[in-house]
Short mmCIF file of all heavy atoms in Angstrom, two decimals:
data_model
loop_
_atom_site.label_atom_id
_atom_site.label_comp_id
_atom_site.label_asym_id
_atom_site.label_seq_id
_atom_site.Cartn_x
_atom_site.Cartn_y
_atom_site.Cartn_z
N PRO A 193 89.41 62.46 93.12
CA PRO A 193 90.80 62.73 93.52
C PRO A 193 91.02 64.17 93.95
O PRO A 193 90.37 65.09 93.47
CB PRO A 193 91.59 62.41 92.25
CG PRO A 193 90.63 62.68 91.14
CD PRO A 193 89.27 62.33 91.65
N THR A 194 91.94 64.34 94.87
CA THR A 194 92.43 65.65 95.29
C THR A 194 93.94 65.71 95.04
O THR A 194 94.58 64.68 94.81
CB THR A 194 92.14 65.91 96.78
OG1 THR A 194 92.75 64.87 97.58
CG2 THR A 194 90.65 65.94 97.05
N GLN A 195 94.50 66.90 95.11
CA GLN A 195 95.93 67.09 94.84
C GLN A 195 96.70 67.22 96.15
O GLN A 195 96.27 67.93 97.08
CB GLN A 195 96.15 68.35 93.99
CG GLN A 195 95.48 68.31 92.64
CD GLN A 195 96.06 67.22 91.75
OE1 GLN A 195 97.25 66.96 91.75
NE2 GLN A 195 95.18 66.59 90.96
N ARG A 196 97.85 66.55 96.20
CA ARG A 196 98.73 66.67 97.36
C ARG A 196 99.48 67.99 97.32
O ARG A 196 99.77 68.54 96.25
CB ARG A 196 99.73 65.51 97.40
CG ARG A 196 99.11 64.15 97.67
CD ARG A 196 100.18 63.07 97.68
NE ARG A 196 101.14 63.26 98.75
CZ ARG A 196 101.01 62.75 99.97
NH1 ARG A 196 99.93 62.04 100.28
NH2 ARG A 196 101.93 62.95 100.88
N THR A 197 99.84 68.48 98.48
CA THR A 197 100.64 69.70 98.60
C THR A 197 102.10 69.30 98.75
O THR A 197 102.48 68.67 99.75
CB THR A 197 100.19 70.54 99.81
OG1 THR A 197 98.80 70.86 99.65
CG2 THR A 197 101.00 71.83 99.90
N GLU A 198 102.91 69.65 97.78
CA GLU A 198 104.32 69.27 97.81
C GLU A 198 105.09 70.11 98.84
O GLU A 198 104.80 71.27 99.06
CB GLU A 198 104.94 69.45 96.42
CG GLU A 198 104.32 68.60 95.33
CD GLU A 198 104.51 67.11 95.60
OE1 GLU A 198 105.50 66.74 96.26
OE2 GLU A 198 103.65 66.31 95.15
N GLY A 199 106.07 69.46 99.45
CA GLY A 199 106.96 70.18 100.38
C GLY A 199 106.51 70.17 101.82
O GLY A 199 107.22 70.70 102.68
N ILE A 200 105.35 69.59 102.12
CA ILE A 200 104.88 69.55 103.50
C ILE A 200 104.16 68.24 103.74
O ILE A 200 103.29 67.84 102.97
CB ILE A 200 103.95 70.76 103.81
CG1 ILE A 200 103.50 70.74 105.27
CG2 ILE A 200 102.77 70.79 102.87
CD1 ILE A 200 104.56 71.11 106.24
N SER A 201 104.55 67.57 104.81
CA SER A 201 103.88 66.33 105.23
C SER A 201 104.27 66.05 106.67
O SER A 201 105.22 66.65 107.20
CB SER A 201 104.29 65.15 104.33
OG SER A 201 105.64 64.82 104.52
N THR A 202 103.54 65.14 107.29
CA THR A 202 103.85 64.78 108.67
C THR A 202 105.24 64.16 108.76
O THR A 202 106.00 64.44 109.70
CB THR A 202 102.80 63.81 109.22
OG1 THR A 202 101.51 64.42 109.12
CG2 THR A 202 103.08 63.45 110.66
N SER A 203 105.59 63.34 107.78
CA SER A 203 106.92 62.71 107.80
C SER A 203 108.03 63.76 107.67
O SER A 203 109.08 63.64 108.32
CB SER A 203 107.03 61.70 106.66
OG SER A 203 106.06 60.68 106.82
N ASP A 204 107.81 64.80 106.84
CA ASP A 204 108.80 65.86 106.71
C ASP A 204 109.00 66.60 108.03
O ASP A 204 110.13 66.92 108.42
CB ASP A 204 108.37 66.86 105.63
CG ASP A 204 108.38 66.24 104.25
OD1 ASP A 204 109.11 65.25 104.06
OD2 ASP A 204 107.66 66.74 103.36
N ILE A 205 107.92 66.87 108.73
CA ILE A 205 108.02 67.59 110.01
C ILE A 205 108.77 66.75 111.03
O ILE A 205 109.64 67.24 111.76
CB ILE A 205 106.62 67.97 110.52
CG1 ILE A 205 105.96 68.94 109.54
CG2 ILE A 205 106.70 68.58 111.91
CD1 ILE A 205 104.52 69.26 109.87
N ILE A 206 108.45 65.45 111.10
CA ILE A 206 109.15 64.57 112.04
C ILE A 206 110.63 64.47 111.68
O ILE A 206 111.51 64.45 112.56
CB ILE A 206 108.48 63.18 112.05
CG1 ILE A 206 107.07 63.29 112.62
CG2 ILE A 206 109.31 62.18 112.87
CD1 ILE A 206 106.27 62.00 112.56
N THR A 207 110.95 64.44 110.39
CA THR A 207 112.35 64.40 109.95
C THR A 207 113.10 65.64 110.41
O THR A 207 114.26 65.56 110.86
CB THR A 207 112.42 64.27 108.43
OG1 THR A 207 111.73 63.08 108.02
CG2 THR A 207 113.86 64.20 107.96
N ARG A 208 112.47 66.80 110.32
CA ARG A 208 113.12 68.02 110.80
C ARG A 208 113.40 67.96 112.29
O ARG A 208 114.46 68.38 112.76
CB ARG A 208 112.23 69.23 110.51
CG ARG A 208 111.98 69.51 109.04
CD ARG A 208 111.07 70.71 108.91
NE ARG A 208 110.33 70.70 107.66
CZ ARG A 208 109.34 71.53 107.37
NH1 ARG A 208 108.95 72.42 108.27
NH2 ARG A 208 108.72 71.47 106.21
N ILE A 209 112.44 67.44 113.06
CA ILE A 209 112.62 67.35 114.51
C ILE A 209 113.77 66.40 114.85
O ILE A 209 114.60 66.69 115.72
CB ILE A 209 111.32 66.90 115.18
CG1 ILE A 209 110.23 67.95 114.96
CG2 ILE A 209 111.53 66.67 116.67
CD1 ILE A 209 108.85 67.52 115.42
N VAL A 210 113.82 65.25 114.16
CA VAL A 210 114.90 64.29 114.43
C VAL A 210 116.25 64.88 114.02
O VAL A 210 117.26 64.71 114.72
CB VAL A 210 114.61 62.97 113.68
CG1 VAL A 210 115.79 62.02 113.79
CG2 VAL A 210 113.35 62.31 114.24
N ARG A 211 116.28 65.58 112.89
CA ARG A 211 117.53 66.18 112.42
C ARG A 211 118.05 67.23 113.40
O ARG A 211 119.25 67.29 113.67
CB ARG A 211 117.29 66.80 111.05
CG ARG A 211 118.52 67.44 110.42
CD ARG A 211 118.11 68.23 109.20
NE ARG A 211 117.20 69.31 109.57
CZ ARG A 211 116.46 69.98 108.69
NH1 ARG A 211 116.48 69.67 107.41
NH2 ARG A 211 115.65 70.95 109.11
N ASP A 212 117.16 68.03 113.95
CA ASP A 212 117.57 69.11 114.87
C ASP A 212 117.23 68.75 116.31
O ASP A 212 116.86 69.61 117.11
CB ASP A 212 116.86 70.41 114.48
CG ASP A 212 117.18 70.84 113.06
OD1 ASP A 212 118.32 70.60 112.62
OD2 ASP A 212 116.30 71.42 112.38
N TYR A 213 117.40 67.48 116.64
CA TYR A 213 117.02 67.01 117.97
C TYR A 213 117.77 67.75 119.06
O TYR A 213 117.18 68.16 120.07
CB TYR A 213 117.29 65.50 118.07
CG TYR A 213 117.16 64.94 119.48
CD1 TYR A 213 115.90 64.73 120.03
CD2 TYR A 213 118.29 64.66 120.24
CE1 TYR A 213 115.78 64.23 121.32
CE2 TYR A 213 118.17 64.17 121.53
CZ TYR A 213 116.92 63.96 122.06
OH TYR A 213 116.79 63.48 123.34
N ASP A 214 119.08 67.93 118.90
CA ASP A 214 119.88 68.60 119.93
C ASP A 214 119.38 70.02 120.19
O ASP A 214 119.32 70.47 121.34
CB ASP A 214 121.36 68.64 119.52
CG ASP A 214 121.99 67.26 119.53
OD1 ASP A 214 121.36 66.33 120.07
OD2 ASP A 214 123.10 67.10 118.99
N VAL A 215 119.02 70.71 119.15
CA VAL A 215 118.55 72.10 119.29
C VAL A 215 117.26 72.14 120.10
O VAL A 215 117.10 72.94 121.03
CB VAL A 215 118.34 72.74 117.91
CG1 VAL A 215 117.77 74.15 118.04
CG2 VAL A 215 119.65 72.77 117.14
N TYR A 216 116.31 71.25 119.77
CA TYR A 216 115.03 71.25 120.47
C TYR A 216 115.19 70.74 121.91
O TYR A 216 114.50 71.23 122.82
CB TYR A 216 114.02 70.39 119.72
CG TYR A 216 113.68 70.92 118.35
CD1 TYR A 216 113.86 70.15 117.21
CD2 TYR A 216 113.20 72.21 118.19
CE1 TYR A 216 113.56 70.64 115.95
CE2 TYR A 216 112.91 72.71 116.93
CZ TYR A 216 113.08 71.92 115.82
OH TYR A 216 112.78 72.42 114.59
N ALA A 217 116.08 69.78 122.12
CA ALA A 217 116.32 69.28 123.48
C ALA A 217 116.91 70.38 124.35
O ALA A 217 116.49 70.58 125.50
CB ALA A 217 117.25 68.06 123.45
N ARG A 218 117.88 71.11 123.82
CA ARG A 218 118.48 72.22 124.58
C ARG A 218 117.44 73.30 124.87
O ARG A 218 117.39 73.85 125.97
CB ARG A 218 119.64 72.80 123.79
CG ARG A 218 120.88 71.92 123.76
CD ARG A 218 121.87 72.42 122.73
NE ARG A 218 122.16 73.83 122.92
CZ ARG A 218 122.83 74.58 122.06
NH1 ARG A 218 123.26 74.05 120.93
NH2 ARG A 218 123.06 75.83 122.31
N ARG A 219 116.61 73.61 123.88
CA ARG A 219 115.59 74.64 124.08
C ARG A 219 114.60 74.25 125.17
O ARG A 219 114.26 75.06 126.04
CB ARG A 219 114.84 74.87 122.76
CG ARG A 219 113.81 75.98 122.84
CD ARG A 219 112.98 76.07 121.58
NE ARG A 219 112.12 74.90 121.41
CZ ARG A 219 111.25 74.75 120.43
NH1 ARG A 219 111.15 75.68 119.49
NH2 ARG A 219 110.50 73.67 120.34
N ASN A 220 114.16 72.98 125.17
CA ASN A 220 113.19 72.55 126.17
C ASN A 220 113.81 72.41 127.56
O ASN A 220 113.13 72.62 128.56
CB ASN A 220 112.54 71.23 125.75
CG ASN A 220 111.58 71.42 124.59
OD1 ASN A 220 111.17 72.53 124.29
ND2 ASN A 220 111.23 70.32 123.93
N LEU A 221 115.08 72.03 127.63
CA LEU A 221 115.77 72.04 128.92
C LEU A 221 115.83 73.45 129.48
O LEU A 221 115.66 73.67 130.68
CB LEU A 221 117.18 71.46 128.77
CG LEU A 221 117.32 69.94 128.70
CD1 LEU A 221 118.76 69.56 128.39
CD2 LEU A 221 116.88 69.29 130.02
N GLN A 222 116.07 74.40 128.61
CA GLN A 222 116.14 75.79 129.04
C GLN A 222 114.77 76.32 129.48
O GLN A 222 114.68 77.20 130.32
CB GLN A 222 116.68 76.65 127.89
CG GLN A 222 117.12 78.05 128.29
CD GLN A 222 117.80 78.76 127.15
OE1 GLN A 222 117.89 78.25 126.05
NE2 GLN A 222 118.29 79.96 127.42
#
Side-chain angles (χ1 to χ4, degrees):
T194 57
Q195 299 295 323
R196 292 179 63 90
T197 302
E198 298 297 332
I200 182 73
S201 67
T202 302
S203 299
D204 293 337
I205 297 174
I206 294 174
T207 301
R208 296 179 205 171
I209 296 172
V210 173
R211 181 190 62 195
D212 301 326
Y213 170 76
D214 291 348
V215 177
Y216 296 123
R218 287 168 52 191
R219 183 187 68 177
N220 288 344
L221 281 173
Q222 194 173 4

